[in-house]
Amino acid sequence: MKRLSRKGLFPLVLGLLLCWAGAAAGEGQEPEKVRLNADRVEFDEASGSASASGNVKLTHKDFRLFSPYLEYDTEGQKVRATADPGGEVTLLAGGKRLSGKRLDYDLVTRQGTLQGPSGQVDKLYLRGKTIEFAPTERARQQGWGAKRTSQGAEEDMAARWSQVSVTTCDRAHPHYRLQAREVVVIPGDRVVVKSPKVYLGEHLLFTYPFDYVIRDKKSGRKDGAAFFPLVQYDGDKGLGLGLRGPLSWETGELELGLLGWTNQDPEGWAYLTQQVASGINLFGRVDRLYDKDAKELLWRPQWGLETTASDWYTRLRWSERELVTQERRTGVTQRFSVWRSPELEIRSPWKRDPASGAYWRARASYGDYQDATAGSGSPWVTRRGASLELYGEAPRWGILSPFAHVLHWYYDYPDTDTFQRVTDAELGFRWKLGDVKLQTTYVRRWVDGASPMGWDAWESREDLYQEVSFLVAKASPDDLWSLTVRGGYDLLSSELGEMVYKLSYDRHCLVWELVARDDMRGDDDWFGLRLIVKAYPHAVAAFGTSELFEPGARPEDLPDGAKEGK
């Protein structure tokens, strides 16, 4: 047995370099090197095993391991690292950082198991009993639910956690958590939490009957359904209660939803997506939705193909009796029944203008449509469209933070030799007066030309929205009550169109929100209760309200650096 120590020649260099067996590298290739440093090392030449202790650091390719104690089998290329009482083993792999009590890892297969793990994936904090991790392709072969990977993706690491707690709250005692028997992390695609129990603090609320799916932005798809029940009130349909959630498998997902009403038959939906190749998905959806204008509850199917490549998005879609809801002016919402057979849509990624710091993107569409809204009697019409969209935020000017969002569409209808140019602009500023937050937004639409269909025959608008948000009570930094009031005023008709009220209870990582809309021009009144996980405000955990036009809102798919004025 040979011993090396920091008191000897130098901090651990196990033979200076411990290398892969010669067969692991092809002739003429540099063998993959394993570097091991520690305060003290013992190496048995006969068995090829080594043990190291004190500030142990092992590196191999992009894998780095830090541990108080380590055992290394140089023949089998296997590593076992253990922590001191109260300490931990830390590893960095695949761009992720994990800590735990004991690690068993195979340097050849790049597969391992960590006991007592904790770590972070995107905005999620996870803590479990064990975690297994492996290259994505190997994980797929072992049935972890990982999708088929593209060329070179074998470097990504998939992970499977067991007996795990999941939350976006960074506190030692989080305000909420999901407790699940298993969580699967598939890099660049999704995190699947298997049938979790939902806790607020230490109180168990219920067991979610579906797998809770959180999708990575790189997947090209929005986050999945909320894990809380749907709770809603509508002036026509009454009180609504329901639930939604996904059933997931290796290359697809089926989302199901049901919403029952006191004054109307239940509504529901089913949304199927199936991956056929990397970045290519087939989809099919059927909704059973009520049209309040036509007083009809109908099945409304749609299906097609969508692709994502280098942040370019393409969708080919067919639909029948699709219920399209549009905000025409403040307080004026119209619903249309539209057939598409089919429609092709192409959307470019956001690009940044270096001079102004603003972002822009282009879109194009082509399709055949029929406006089947009751009484319209519209024939099939071909429409071609092209657009340019701009969004920017100017540097702070005193207490004001200006912003602008402009979308211009040009539509051509070759069958009727007509055209339509539509420009929507939202200009305004966010500002503060002490603890009072305000947002003023001027909304303007210019329309030139006409459409032979009703559903896209836009009309001019000129509205002014004022939003005021102020603190109602503050028991602690993690216990805030606030009230937001927003009014929409129609400048063309000189009348108030709508009022929106939001009562919010902010609990650091969670926000409870009661939202009510008062339609001053019609009967489209409603209120709903939402619970928002602040890490995923747009889709993952908001529930229970109808669609609400948000003037001045940042586009959801802006690059991360473009948000919050960065």
Side-chain angles (χ1 to χ4, degrees):
M1 172 84 67
K2 290 186 177 181
R3 298 186 178 183
L4 296 174
S5 69
R6 191 179 295 276
K7 295 179 180 179
L9 296 177
F10 30 71
L12 160 79
V13 180
L14 183 57
L16 297 181
L17 297 171
L18 292 174
C19 302
W20 289 97
E27 185 177 353
Q29 293 181 325
E30 177 76 12
E32 297 292 350
K33 297 175 181 178
V34 177
R35 298 178 184 271
L36 180 61
N37 293 301
D39 293 341
R40 181 182 183 86
V41 174
E42 295 182 354
F43 179 52
D44 188 332
E45 291 180 315
S47 65
S49 62
S51 62
S53 60
N55 299 307
V56 179
K57 178 181 178 182
L58 182 145
T59 61
H60 172 249
K61 298 203 287 190
D62 66 342
F63 176 85
R64 287 186 291 168
L65 170 64
F66 303 88
S67 173
Y69 183 80
L70 179 141
E71 297 176 0
Y72 178 34
D73 175 7
T74 61
E75 297 294 329
Q77 296 294 326
K78 291 180 172 58
V79 173
R80 170 170 289 182
T82 55
D84 293 328
E88 62 183 16
V89 173
T90 300
L91 62 102
L92 304 175
K96 301 294 187 294
R97 177 189 177 97
L98 294 170
S99 299
K101 298 302 180 183
R102 193 187 82 184
L103 171 70
D104 292 279
Y105 184 69
D106 189 319
L107 293 172
V108 178
T109 64
R110 301 179 63 229
Q111 189 165 348
T113 301
L114 181 64
Q115 306 293 327
S118 63
Q120 184 175 0
V121 178
D122 188 25
K123 300 174 183 178
L124 300 173
Y125 296 93
L126 298 96
R127 185 178 299 275
K129 180 179 180 181
T130 61
I131 178 177
E132 301 173 75
F133 55 93
T136 358
E137 187 62 24
R138 179 177 291 272
R140 185 194 68 77
Q141 294 169 358
Q142 295 180 3
W144 291 13
K147 66 177 184 179
R148 294 181 183 274
T149 55
S150 57
Q151 184 71 23
E154 65 274 4
E155 294 301 318
D156 289 333
M157 299 293 288
R160 182 169 63 178
W161 298 67
S162 66
Q163 303 299 319
V164 60
S165 171
V166 183
T167 183
T168 58
C169 193
D170 57 358
R171 300 300 172 89
H173 301 285
H175 296 302
Y176 89 96
R177 60 188 169 90
L178 306 180
Q179 193 73 35
R181 58 179 174 79
E182 184 175 289
V183 172
V184 177
V185 180
I186 298 133
D189 184 57
R190 56 186 167 171
V191 176
V192 181
V193 186
K194 303 287 188 178
S195 301
K197 290 181 171 63
V198 180
Y199 285 82
L200 282 183
E202 297 302 318
H203 302 289
L204 173 64
L205 297 184
F206 57 89
T207 299
Y208 186 63
F210 302 100
D211 292 343
Y212 180 51
V213 180
I214 304 165
R215 301 185 185 90
D216 192 289
K217 290 179 65 175
K218 298 176 185 178
S219 70
R221 294 187 57 199
K222 292 185 177 180
D223 294 309
F227 52 80
F228 276 85
L230 300 168
V231 182
Q232 187 173 339
Y233 172 81
D234 184 275
D236 289 327
K237 295 180 285 188
L239 180 64
L241 297 174
L243 189 68
R244 59 181 176 180
L247 303 173
S248 300
W249 55 92
E250 180 181 338
T251 57
E253 183 177 292
L254 175 65
E255 180 182 318
L256 302 172
L258 181 66
L259 185 59
W261 297 95
T262 56
N263 300 337
Q264 175 61 51
D265 290 340
E267 294 180 303
W269 60 92
Y271 183 24
L272 172 68
T273 58
Q274 177 63 50
Q275 183 187 48
V276 294
S278 178
I280 303 176
N281 291 314
L282 295 173
F283 68 88
R285 176 173 187 136
V286 59
D287 296 89
R288 188 174 187 260
L289 298 177
Y290 179 71
D291 184 342
K292 295 197 290 185
D293 296 329
K295 309 298 182 185
E296 291 181 318
L297 182 65
L298 298 174
W299 292 102
R300 306 174 189 275
Q302 56 180 285
W303 63 95
L305 172 75
E306 57 185 1
T307 68
T308 305
S310 301
D311 292 328
W312 282 81
Y313 175 79
T314 303
R315 180 176 64 180
L316 185 65
R317 175 170 55 143
W318 288 259
S319 67
E320 298 180 359
R321 296 178 296 277
E322 180 185 348
L323 186 59
V324 177
T325 303
Q326 295 177 347
E327 177 96 3
R328 293 290 170 146
R329 305 196 309 276
T330 179
V332 178
T333 302
Q334 292 184 346
R335 282 160 284 271
F336 301 88
S337 182
V338 179
W339 293 57
R340 307 173 197 260
S341 186
E343 175 193 64
L344 175 65
E345 176 189 356
I346 301 174
R347 186 171 67 229
S348 78
W350 287 98
K351 299 294 184 181
R352 186 175 185 272
D353 175 49
S356 65
Y359 285 77
W360 65 272
R361 68 176 172 187
R363 303 186 199 178
S365 67
Y366 181 90
D368 292 322
Y369 309 86
Q370 184 184 47
D371 188 344
T373 307
S376 66
S378 172
W380 283 92
V381 175
T382 298
R383 186 187 76 174
R384 300 176 294 202
S387 79
L388 182 65
E389 184 175 10
L390 305 171
Y391 180 82
E393 298 181 12
R396 184 181 295 275
W397 180 33
I399 64 171
L400 305 180
S401 298
F403 62 86
H405 189 185
V406 180
L407 174 62
H408 175 78
W409 273 101
Y410 175 80
Y411 295 115
D412 174 40
Y413 308 90
D415 296 337
T416 58
D417 196 26
T418 58
F419 74 93
Q420 185 179 207
R421 284 192 287 261
V422 183
T423 303
D424 283 289
E426 299 175 14
L427 311 174
F429 44 85
R430 305 176 182 97
W431 47 303
K432 290 183 66 175
L433 291 175
D435 291 333
V436 180
K437 299 179 182 179
L438 303 100
Q439 178 174 300
T440 304
T441 310
Y442 173 71
V443 178
R444 186 76 165 91
R445 179 185 296 131
W446 294 268
V447 180
D448 181 27
S451 169
M453 299 179 289
W455 75 279
D456 77 333
W458 294 101
E459 57 186 85
S460 298
R461 69 180 292 183
E462 187 174 9
D463 304 312
L464 184 65
Y465 291 85
Q466 180 61 56
E467 180 175 289
V468 181
S469 180
F470 55 92
L471 191 65
V472 176
K474 181 179 180 180
S476 71
D478 285 346
D479 197 347
L480 308 175
W481 286 89
S482 61
L483 179 65
T484 300
V485 180
R486 190 189 80 197
Y489 188 79
D490 190 330
L491 296 173
L492 296 179
S493 62
S494 300
E495 61 180 318
L496 188 64
E498 71 169 12
M499 291 295 297
V500 175
Y501 307 91
K502 300 179 183 179
L503 179 62
S504 302
Y505 178 44
D506 190 329
R507 290 284 291 162
H508 179 61
C509 56
L510 294 175
V511 178
W512 289 95
E513 193 171 75
L514 180 65
V515 184
R517 179 183 188 250
D518 184 6
D519 183 2
M520 313 295 286
R521 287 176 158 175
D523 59 355
D524 195 14
D525 303 327
W526 52 263
F527 74 78
L529 179 66
R530 303 195 297 181
L531 187 145
I532 302 171
V533 173
K534 291 164 72 172
Y536 301 99
H538 295 297
V540 172
F543 67 93
T545 60
S546 296
E547 285 189 36
L548 183 66
F549 174 59
E550 298 285 0
R554 295 178 176 93
E556 292 182 14
D557 55 353
L558 271 181
D560 288 338
K563 299 186 179 182
E564 303 299 338
K566 295 180 181 179

